Each structure stands twice: as structure tokens, then as C-alpha cells.
């Protein structure tokens, strides 16, 4: 081992869970940092309408893809041995193949009807990409859960970097194509991710996968039948409620409204998702073992405390400065996206905290309860969107959607604590403590805004607030180490 690799190894936390999260978050951070750097360029070379088409395609892809593996991928980390888990991966590949072929038939024969159904006929020209995206996305998701099972976190981190870099390179180089360039970048990134995971994992486990028998597939399908019966619908409701805003905003208002929402959601979700997804992937590998060892409640409380401390400062900062910050970074025409972000920040904070913990429904095999929550969330969000359309104001539509989401995710957090700990009160102290810290860290920008200062002094206040938040994160990292 050379000096560089030894130094990097020594820098990682000693605790296995923190080490896994650090590796995952590090790779995701590099990938997302590239995305953040490219965002101001992309918003200047592509129009809001282009991002509206992208948002509608991503929404349609996500809604359709949730059924592509029948959610047997969620079962891959659960068995004790690889021999028991391999048939679950085989079921995923079979389901993805069948579903991709069905999608190809539907989009080829009824592409224009699909575009007309969602009142976005421009999208029908690009639906030929949908079966390709479903295939690569399904393969990637299936192999991702096998990599999580194998604790192959460095491989996952590298894959995320290659995926985002490929996406950005294609999108930046194909901007003359308009919205098609954005879509080609999305599909190219998925293809790169699938290939990067498939090559090493299949090479290492090919003999194991060759030993899968038809009887093993039927036995595994029956053993984990709750995943297609309940988790598929729960995931479908979740994806639908997450991605329906751009579809409905495009249909009820305009593609530009959908683009403004999509960019604000992407910018807010990108940094929070960076850590949240890393924690969730590592938590999935750890939670099943923690349950067997009767230490699941303490693990849940510890993760909750860390997540709420991470999420609160940027959420409060966006509530205070969203419109000014978006106009400064992305251009004045994106100021409304900053207004959207002010309403969305509390919801995305709770989503960041709840999302990794939601894996408890799978670990505890309580998929029916997850499906019930997702149906409530979907109904609440649809009601909020239609109420906003009745008001005829796109900002109020986003605000009502965000408020409904906030209330639902707060209820889900209480639900999860009652399910695993039997008491909701441990939620309160970390939440209030993190809010106090966030208020103190954001005080420079609050002072600058209060005195109605010039742009230069506002930037100084923002810089000081960001520096204080960064120092706070360093302290949290030091505790983790």
C-alpha cells in the first residue's frame, strides 16, 4: 500500500457505518459538486421550456420504472447468504427485460397518444428514449442493491461520479439540440452507471449467478411476494407524488412553470440527497443486522440526530434568501424558482431526514404500512395541486404542495419512531437544538437583510453565514471520526 492510499485510509472513520457513509457521501459529493458547478451554465444555454420537457420525461420515466423490477431489488440485501440473494437479482433482470420490451411496444405504437394524454405533445418526439432508459435504470438499481449487500461502497461511489460526469459532458456538448440534449445526457449517464456496476460485479459473481435454478426463482418470488404486492405500489405512489408536479404544472400552467419548479427542486434536493442517499444505502446494509442484534432503536435515534443537524442550516438559509440567491447564481429569470425554494425547504428538510429511515418498512417487512402512507401522501399532494390550479396562481400551487408534503413527512417521522422505538418524544430535542444552531449560523445574513444593505454587504453576510455553516459541519465530521 502506497503512502497516499494509507493516508486516505487513516482519514476515514473507524466505525463501520460512519466509514460506509463517508465513502458513499464522498463519491456522491464529487459527482454532485460537478453538477452544482455546471448548473449555472446549463440554465444559461438551455431555456426553462427545455428543463420542463426534461422534468416531464424524468417524471414519466420514474413513474413507469418503479414497476420494472417488481421491487425484488429491495429484497437483495436481506438474506443471510449470497446463494439465497442471487435469485432475487435474477428476478429483477427478468422483470426489467419484460418491462422494457413492453414499454418499447407501447411507445412505438402510442407515443403521440401518451404525449397528448399529459397535454405535452412535444414530449412524444422523445419517447423512443423511454424503453432504453427503463432498461439501463432497472439494471443499475438491481446491481446497486447487490453492491450494497456486498458493502462495495467504493465501487458505488466511483459509479456515481462516472454517471454524473457522463450526463454533464453529453448535456453540455449537445445543447444545440435543445431538450433532446438534456434527455440524451440523462440516458447516457444511466447507461454508464449500469455498465460500471455490471462489469466488476458480474465478473466476480458469474459462477454464482449461473447456478440459479428455476425452482430457486419461484421460491424467492414466493418468499418475498410482499415486495411486488405492497412495495411496488408504495414506491409507485411515492414516485407519482414526487414527479407529478412537473407533469401537472406543465399541463395546467406551462412547460416554463414546470422547468422553474424542476430546477428549484433539483438544486435543493441535490446537496441534501448527496448525504441522504449515502446514509440510506449504508443504513440498508446495517439495519437488517442491527435488528437481529436488538440495537435498531439506538441506531435509528443516532442517525436521526445526525441528519437533522446536517439539514437544518441550509434549509433555514434558503427560507431566508431563496429568491435573491437564485437570481444571483442562475440569472434574474430564475428568481421565481427561488420563491419556490422558500416554500419547499421545510418539506425537503423532512424528506432528507425521513428518506433513509423509511427503509425500516422493508427491514421490518411492514410494506403495507409504507403503502398506506404513500397513498395518503399522494392524495394530499393531488388535492394541493388542484386547489392551487383553482386559485390560478403557480406560486401558491407550489406552496400548497410543499405544505401538504411537510405535514405528511412530519407524520411519517412520528410513525417511524412509534414503530421502532415506541415513543415520539425523542424527535423534539434534536430538532429544536438544530434549529437553534441554524439560527445562530444564519445570523450574518439575517442582519444584512434587516438593514436593507447593498449587494456587496449582502454578499459579505452570505459569505459569513456559509463560513459558519461550513465550520459547524467540520465539527460534526470531527465527532463522527
Amino acid at each position: 500500500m502506497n503512502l497516499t492510499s494509507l493516508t486516505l485510509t487513516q482519514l476515514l472513520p473507524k466505525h463501520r457505518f460512519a466509514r460506509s457513509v463517508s465513502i458513499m457521501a464522498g463519491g456522491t459529493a464529487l459527482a454532485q459538486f460537478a453538477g452544482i458547478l455546471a448548473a449555472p451554465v446549463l440554465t444559461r444555454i438551455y431555456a426553462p421550456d427545455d428543463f420542463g420537457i426534461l422534468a416531464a420525461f424524468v417524471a414519466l420515466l420514474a413513474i413507469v420504472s418503479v414497476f420494472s423490477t417488481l421491487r425484488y431489488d429491495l429484497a437483495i440485501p436481506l438474506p443471510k447468504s449470497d446463494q439465497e440473494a442471487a435469485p432475487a437479482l435474477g428476478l429483477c433482470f427478468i422483470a426489467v427485460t419484460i418491462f422494457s420490451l413492453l414499454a418499447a411496444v407501447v411507445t412505438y405504437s402510442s407515443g403521440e397518444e401518451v404525449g397528448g394524454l399529459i397535454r405535452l405533445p412535444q414530449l412524444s418526439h422523445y419517447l423512443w428514449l423511454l424503453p432504453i432508459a427503463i432498461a439501463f435504470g432497472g439494471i443499475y438499481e438491481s446491481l446497486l442493491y447487490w453492491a450494497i449487500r456486498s458493502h462495495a461502497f467504493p465501487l458505488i461511489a466511483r459509479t456515481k461520479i462516472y454517471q454524473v460526469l457522463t450526463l454533464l459532458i453529453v448535456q453540455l456538448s449537445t445543447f444545440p439540440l435543445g431538450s433532446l440534449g438534456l434527455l440524451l445526457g440523462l440516458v447516457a449517464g444511466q447507461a454508464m452507471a449500469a455498465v460500471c456496476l455490471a462489469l466488476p460485479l458480474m465478473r466476480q459473481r458469474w459462477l454464482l449467478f449461473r447456478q440459479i435454478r428455476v425452482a430457486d426463482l419461484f421460491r424467492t418470488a414466493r418468499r418475498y411476494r410482499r415486495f411486488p404486492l405492497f412495495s411496488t405500489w408504495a414506491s409507485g405512489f411515492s414516485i407519482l407524488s414526487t414527479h407529478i408536479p412537473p407533469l401537472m404544472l406543465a399541463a395546467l400552467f406551462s412547460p416554463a412553470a414546470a422547468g422553474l419548479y424542476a430546477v428549484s427542486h433539483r438544486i435543493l434536493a441535490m446537496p441534501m440527497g448527496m448525504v441522504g442517499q449515502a446514509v440510506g444505502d449504508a443504513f440498508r446494509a446495517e439495519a437488517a443486522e442491527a435488528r437481529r442484534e436488538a440495537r435498531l432503536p439506538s441506531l435509528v435515534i443516532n442517525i436521526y440526530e445526525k441528519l437533522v443537524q446536517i439539514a437544518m442550516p441550509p434549509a433555514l438559509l434558503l427560507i431566508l434568501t431563496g429568491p435573491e440567491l437564485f437570481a444571483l447564481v442562475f440569472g434574474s429569470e430564475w428568481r421565481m424558482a427561488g420563491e419556490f425554494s422558500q416554500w419547499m425547504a421545510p418539506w425537503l428538510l423532512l424528506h432528507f431526514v425521513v428518506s433513509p429511515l423509511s427503509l425500516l418498512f422493508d427491514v421490518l417487512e411492514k410494506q403495507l404500512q409504507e403503502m398506506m402512507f404513500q397513498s395518503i401522501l399522494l392524495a394530499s399532494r393531488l388535492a394541493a395541486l388542484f386547489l392551487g390550479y383553482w386559485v390560478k396562481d403557480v406560486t401558491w400551487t407550489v406552496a400548497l404542495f410543499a405544505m401538504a408534503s411537510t405535514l405528511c413527512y412530519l407524520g411519517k417521522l412520528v410513525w417511524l419512531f412509534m414503530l421502532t422505538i415506541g415513543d415520539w418524544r425523542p424527535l423534539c430535542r434534536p430538532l429544536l437544538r438544530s434549529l437553534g444552531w441554524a439560527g445562530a449560523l444564519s445570523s450574518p445574513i439575517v442582519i444584512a437583510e434587516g438593514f436593507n444593505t447593498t449587494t456587496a454587504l449582502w454578499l459579505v453576510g452570505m459569505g459569513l453565514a456559509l463560513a459558519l455553516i461550513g465550520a459547524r459541519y467540520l465539527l460534526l465530521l470531527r465527532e463522527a471520526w
Side-chain angles (χ1 to χ4, degrees), residues 43-58:
T43 55
R44 285 170 169 81
I45 62 177
Y46 288 101
D49 284 3
D50 295 329
F51 282 99
I53 298 296
L54 174 65
F57 182 89
V58 170

Side-chain angles (χ1 to χ4, degrees), residues 2 23 74 94 102 118 126 217 243 250 292-293 310 343 349 422 440 449 453:
N2 59 39
I23 294 172
L74 300 177
I94 294 172
L102 288 175
I118 61 176
Y126 310 120
L217 295 173
H243 291 279
R292 291 193 292 268
E293 298 175 357
I310 293 170
W343 291 102
L349 180 151
E449 294 255 351
T453 58

Side-chain angles (χ1 to χ4, degrees), residues 108 130 165 329-330:
Y108 178 76
L130 190 63
L165 290 179
V329 176
F330 303 110

Side-chain angles (χ1 to χ4, degrees), residues 136 140 143 159-160 162-163 166 188-198:
F136 283 123
Y140 170 73
L143 292 174
T159 298
K160 292 181 183 297
Y162 297 149
Q163 178 182 9
T166 301
Q190 287 186 320
M192 177 61 72
V195 171
C196 288
L197 275 184

Side-chain angles (χ1 to χ4, degrees), residues 226-300:
R226 294 176 67 88
F227 287 94
L229 289 176
F230 298 125
S231 292
T232 296
W233 293 105
S235 299
F237 292 151
S238 174
I239 293 295
L240 185 62
S241 65
T242 299
H243 291 279
I244 204 170
L247 287 174
M248 292 192 66
L249 289 173
L252 300 178
F253 293 97
S254 68
L260 290 170
Y261 171 86
V263 169
S264 59
H265 183 273
R266 177 183 178 186
I267 296 301
L268 268 65
M270 187 183 295
M272 289 188 176
M274 176 185 69
V275 179
Q277 185 176 358
V279 173
D281 290 342
F283 180 64
R284 187 182 294 276
E286 187 80 11
E289 182 178 337
R291 183 193 181 193
R292 291 193 292 268
E293 298 175 357
R295 55 183 178 86
L296 189 58
S298 60
L299 177 63
V300 169

Side-chain angles (χ1 to χ4, degrees), residues 15 32 59 120 142 186 196 204 214 216 285 314 334 376 392 422 453 475:
H15 189 274
Q32 301 290 13
L120 201 62
S142 304
L186 173 70
C196 288
Q204 296 168 7
V214 175
D216 297 329
W334 294 92
I376 294 171
K392 300 293 184 183
T453 58
L475 289 176

Side-chain angles (χ1 to χ4, degrees), residues 131-360:
I132 303 172
I134 291 172
F136 283 123
I139 292 171
Y140 170 73
E141 286 295 320
S142 304
L143 292 174
L144 174 65
Y145 283 104
W146 187 273
I148 291 171
R149 172 184 179 80
S150 305
H151 293 268
F153 298 115
L155 174 61
I156 298 174
R158 291 195 302 271
T159 298
K160 292 181 183 297
I161 295 173
Y162 297 149
Q163 178 182 9
V164 172
L165 290 179
T166 301
L167 180 149
L168 292 176
I169 290 171
V170 174
Q171 288 184 340
L172 290 171
S173 60
T174 59
F175 74 91
L177 299 176
S179 52
L180 178 59
L182 292 174
L183 297 178
L184 289 174
L186 173 70
V187 176
Q190 287 186 320
M192 177 61 72
V195 171
C196 288
L197 275 184
L199 291 178
L201 291 179
M202 298 302 289
R203 183 171 60 247
Q204 296 168 7
R205 295 293 185 175
W206 178 244
L207 292 179
L208 175 65
F209 298 141
R210 286 186 60 185
Q211 296 173 3
I212 299 174
R213 299 172 299 174
V214 175
D216 297 329
L217 295 173
F218 279 106
R219 183 175 61 253
T220 302
R222 178 176 176 79
R223 166 67 181 84
Y224 295 107
R225 62 187 181 277
R226 294 176 67 88
F227 287 94
L229 289 176
F230 298 125
S231 292
T232 296
W233 293 105
S235 299
F237 292 151
S238 174
I239 293 295
L240 185 62
S241 65
T242 299
H243 291 279
I244 204 170
L247 287 174
M248 292 192 66
L249 289 173
L252 300 178
F253 293 97
S254 68
L260 290 170
Y261 171 86
V263 169
S264 59
H265 183 273
R266 177 183 178 186
I267 296 301
L268 268 65
M270 187 183 295
M272 289 188 176
M274 176 185 69
V275 179
Q277 185 176 358
V279 173
D281 290 342
F283 180 64
R284 187 182 294 276
E286 187 80 11
E289 182 178 337
R291 183 193 181 193
R292 291 193 292 268
E293 298 175 357
R295 55 183 178 86
L296 189 58
S298 60
L299 177 63
V300 169
I301 292 175
N302 183 50
I303 291 175
Y304 165 73
E305 291 178 347
K306 297 296 187 296
L307 289 174
V308 76
Q309 290 181 66
I310 293 170
M312 187 65 76
L316 183 59
L317 201 62
L318 279 167
I319 292 173
L320 295 172
T321 66
E324 295 83 3
L325 194 58
F326 269 69
L328 177 67
V329 176
F330 303 110
S332 59
E333 67 272 20
W334 294 92
R335 184 180 183 86
M336 182 177 285
E339 296 175 7
F340 292 173
S341 73
Q342 290 180 302
W343 291 102
M344 294 162 63
W347 149 41
L348 292 176
L349 180 151
L350 286 170
H351 181 267
F352 170 80
V353 174
V354 172
S355 183
L357 299 179
S358 297
L359 304 175
L360 291 166

